[in-house]
Amino acid sequence: QVQLVESGGGSVQAGGSLRLSCLASGNTLRPYSMGWFRQVPGKGREGVAAIDTDGMTTYGNSVKGRFTISKDAAKNTLYLQMNSLKPEDTGMYYCAAEPRARWWGLLRSDAYTHWGQGTQVTVSS
């Protein structure tokens, strides 16, 4: 069992940057694949970025070149650096963890079993 708490959300202007953090606690000794997802009302949870247990990363097409996912194992913390933000990046951002995620499921919300509470990101025009 692992608990996840996101932070770092807020309101920014288009073109700005934001850094999200996800602090993991509980059973953090086992390796986890981790991902960032976002959701807006009326839509499903969209895969934004993920990092597997080997440190390999993958990104959704809409954020490639703008977002960077990373982790600090010593601090049990996952990060999402968000640059060149666009209004369409607005949404609730969730951190997720899964010890047995497959490579083909890293950006699928149904591949994850542990979720944080979310942090709101709002990008104005």
Side-chain angles (χ1 to χ4, degrees):
Q1 188 74 32
V2 61
Q3 293 76 49
L4 306 172
V5 179
E6 302 95 333
S7 62
S11 297
V12 298
Q13 293 182 326
S17 297
L18 209 58
R19 189 192 194 195
L20 306 183
S21 299
C22 173
L23 177 63
S25 61
N27 185 9
T28 60
L29 296 179
R30 63 196 300 186
Y32 285 89
S33 292
M34 302 190 73
W36 287 99
F37 295 79
R38 65 188 181 192
Q39 189 169 27
V40 297
K43 294 185 178 180
R45 203 161 289 188
E46 174 190 13
V48 174
I51 183 167
D52 70 12
T53 55
D54 294 320
M56 298 297 294
T57 60
T58 187
Y59 298 89
N61 289 333
S62 65
V63 307
K64 288 180 179 178
R66 300 188 297 120
F67 291 9
T68 303
I69 187 172
S70 62
K71 62 181 178 182
D72 186 333
K75 296 182 178 180
N76 294 320
T77 302
L78 179 75
Y79 302 99
L80 183 67
Q81 180 65 47
M82 309 164 68
N83 298 327
S84 302
L85 284 163
K86 304 175 180 180
E88 52 262 44
D89 294 319
T90 293
M92 185 71 73
Y93 282 69
Y94 298 89
C95 174
E98 173 56 48
R100 295 291 184 270
R102 309 291 187 179
W103 67 268
W104 46 261
L106 288 173
L107 292 178
R108 292 177 59 94
S109 61
D110 59 5
Y112 292 80
T113 57
H114 304 280
W115 294 86
Q117 82 291 343
T119 185
Q120 178 67 36
V121 172
T122 302
V123 184
S124 60
S125 300

